Amino acid sequence: MFALFAGIIYACVYVYSVHMHRETDLWWSHLTVTEKEISYRTEQGLYYSYFKTLVSSKTISKGLYHLSKDNKTEAPGFINIYQRMNIIPEVILAVFYSLSPRREPIDFYDLAVTVLQAFTLIGLILTAWEMTNLWISCPLYASLFLLNQHEVSRVAFTLPLRENFALPFWWLRMFFATQLIKGKIHLRLLGFSQYVQIFLLWFTTAAFCMTWQFGQFALLIETSILAVLHHANVIQHEQCTIFSFAGLFGLVCTSLSQAGNLFPFASPCCVLLLTNLLWINCRRWAQRCAKSWHGSNVFSRLLIRVFRHLSSKRVLAIGPILMKIGIFGALFSLSRYFISSDDASHIVSFVRHKLNWRPKL
């Protein structure tokens, strides 16, 4: 309770800090509506225009229909905005705005994004408390964050960016992930609190993925680390399974929110998540076969040795490593075959560029 109370207090301080920075930097309250809208440059203004389209329509449903046949973004052609952009935040904010349209749309939009940042401090402080169990960690971590907030987040300068909608859910997700990693998990003996933690992990994962098109690359880093920890027997099969299913759930929700766009499934993150799940099941199958297989001939003894080697917990065992590489390669090839080359090549090129590994000219 102390950590939650401290998180709420520092979250209010952070929200007020972001609000005052925009006020002193832009004199926000003294600007006209047009001037406020002009301050949203480049993609910020693009995403806000979708929100304005929704709230300016007679009903939300009509606004949603207009965005499905948009001819302004890539005029004179028509495109489905839901397939091309992550505008779930704008849709949700438009629904809330329709319930109480007392402010100007630009003021409501600005305030909503600012208030959402409160979850950043709440998630970080709860995570600090969960990891250290020391009360001093809460004010210490919050103070360090507030003193360096402009190096941590761009929300004070570029408010409507996708990352500013997604990162608050990411930091909340870190808290639930820390809880699940710290404890022992038995899928058949889960308590109510563990069910709640798993549900919140899945929910925050989906929210993070649906609000930021590049969220899958953050998940790729996390999934890679989890794969290494699982291979080194640092985390349980059950923990790796829960995180893998949570990541896949987030990618599926992203695809559904983008009108069935297959872009998320072209990601190496999706392939690695499936590799983790398939390997866990293959390892369990090999363990069962090694225990139940009987035979005295050479072939039977050879199979038993193979099964035991595949189910080995040794970190440097060659068999499991080669098996994982084979599963990953097969799944990656299938994803490249079934998913359009444009989506797949875009993601692979992005990863190569970030890793500075054989960038395409």
Side-chain angles (χ1 to χ4, degrees):
M1 289 300 295
F2 170 77
L4 181 60
F5 179 75
I8 293 174
I9 295 297
Y10 282 107
C12 293
V13 173
Y14 179 48
V15 170
Y16 179 76
S17 173
V18 173
H19 171 72
M20 289 307 299
H21 182 275
R22 291 180 61 76
E23 179 65 28
T24 55
D25 187 48
L26 299 174
W27 288 75
W28 185 260
S29 61
H30 295 77
L31 298 178
T32 64
V33 173
T34 303
E35 290 172 333
K36 291 177 180 178
E37 292 178 345
I38 292 174
S39 70
Y40 285 169
R41 298 181 178 89
T42 61
E43 64 177 291
Q44 304 174 64
L46 180 66
Y47 284 109
Y48 172 73
S49 70
Y50 301 141
F51 171 75
K52 190 174 181 180
T53 298
L54 291 171
V55 299
S56 300
S57 302
K58 292 183 178 180
T59 61
I60 295 294
S61 59
K62 288 186 177 180
L64 294 173
Y65 176 77
H66 290 324
L67 291 181
S68 67
K69 299 183 180 297
D70 178 78
N71 65 340
K72 296 179 180 178
T73 304
E74 296 184 4
F78 288 84
I79 63 171
N80 187 342
I81 295 298
Y82 307 109
Q83 288 185 329
R84 300 290 291 274
M85 308 286 183
N86 290 71
I87 63 166
I88 288 297
E90 281 68 32
V91 174
I92 295 174
L93 290 180
V95 172
F96 280 112
Y97 181 81
S98 65
L99 300 177
S100 57
R102 298 178 182 178
R103 290 174 171 265
E104 290 290 341
I106 184 70
D107 292 325
F108 177 86
Y109 189 84
D110 189 272
L111 179 63
V113 182
T114 303
V115 172
L116 182 63
Q117 306 312 307
F119 292 109
T120 298
L121 255 296
I122 293 174
L124 286 172
I125 290 177
L126 289 176
T127 303
W129 172 267
E130 186 69 25
M131 295 179 67
T132 63
N133 204 26
L134 297 173
W135 69 268
I136 192 64
S137 64
C138 298
L140 179 62
Y141 203 94
S143 300
L144 290 173
F145 179 89
L146 292 172
L147 290 173
N148 300 277
Q149 58 180 289
H150 299 318
E151 283 72 36
V152 178
S153 172
R154 296 188 291 174
V155 66
F157 308 100
T158 50
L159 197 70
L161 293 181
R162 300 298 88 184
E163 64 192 66
N164 296 329
F165 286 99
L167 289 179
F169 294 108
W170 175 262
W171 297 122
L172 280 177
R173 184 180 180 277
M174 287 297 100
F175 169 62
F176 304 126
T178 304
Q179 285 186 314
L180 289 171
I181 288 179
K182 284 185 65 177
K184 296 292 184 180
I185 295 178
H186 300 282
L187 294 180
R188 297 181 180 179
L189 301 173
L190 289 175
F192 176 75
S193 61
Q194 289 180 316
Y195 275 115
V196 173
Q197 291 169 6
I198 293 172
F199 169 77
L200 292 174
L201 176 72
W202 284 40
F203 172 78
T204 50
T205 302
F208 173 72
C209 292
M210 288 192 296
T211 51
W212 193 18
Q213 66 270 32
F214 295 132
Q216 55 187 290
F217 299 109
L219 280 182
L220 175 61
I221 297 173
E222 180 193 82
T223 306
S224 302
I225 295 172
L226 288 174
V228 173
L229 293 177
H230 178 253
H231 182 78
N233 303 308
V234 176
I235 62 175
Q236 300 173 276
H237 295 319
E238 291 82 357
Q239 291 169 328
C240 188
T241 300
I242 290 172
F243 279 97
S244 298
F245 273 118
L248 288 174
F249 178 71
L251 296 179
V252 170
C253 290
T254 303
S255 178
L256 293 176
S257 67
Q258 291 187 297
N261 193 336
L262 297 180
F263 177 84
F265 302 118
S267 169
C269 176
C270 181
V271 177
L272 189 55
L273 289 168
L274 290 174
T275 300
N276 288 341
L277 292 174
L278 286 176
W279 168 246
I280 289 172
N281 286 281
C282 287
R283 188 174 181 177
R284 287 174 176 170
W285 176 76
Q287 288 174 340
R288 287 196 298 267
C289 289
K291 292 179 181 179
S292 61
W293 194 281
H294 299 286
S296 57
N297 55 49
V298 176
F299 180 72
S300 297
R301 289 198 298 269
L302 179 62
L303 282 179
I304 292 173
R305 289 178 65 89
V306 170
F307 290 142
R308 287 177 178 174
H309 187 67
L310 289 177
S311 60
S312 173
K313 293 185 177 181
R314 290 181 298 169
V315 177
L316 299 179
I318 300 299
I321 295 176
L322 293 178
M323 189 73 174
K324 291 178 182 179
I325 294 174
I327 294 174
F328 181 86
L331 291 176
F332 187 74
S333 300
L334 288 174
S335 69
R336 293 295 297 270
Y337 179 78
F338 287 105
I339 299 175
S340 66
S341 58
D342 292 338
D343 289 339
S345 61
H346 170 75
I347 293 177
V348 174
S349 300
F350 184 89
V351 174
R352 283 176 176 172
H353 176 72
K354 289 298 181 183
L355 297 177
N356 196 24
W357 176 60
R358 292 193 303 169
K360 289 186 177 181
L361 299 177

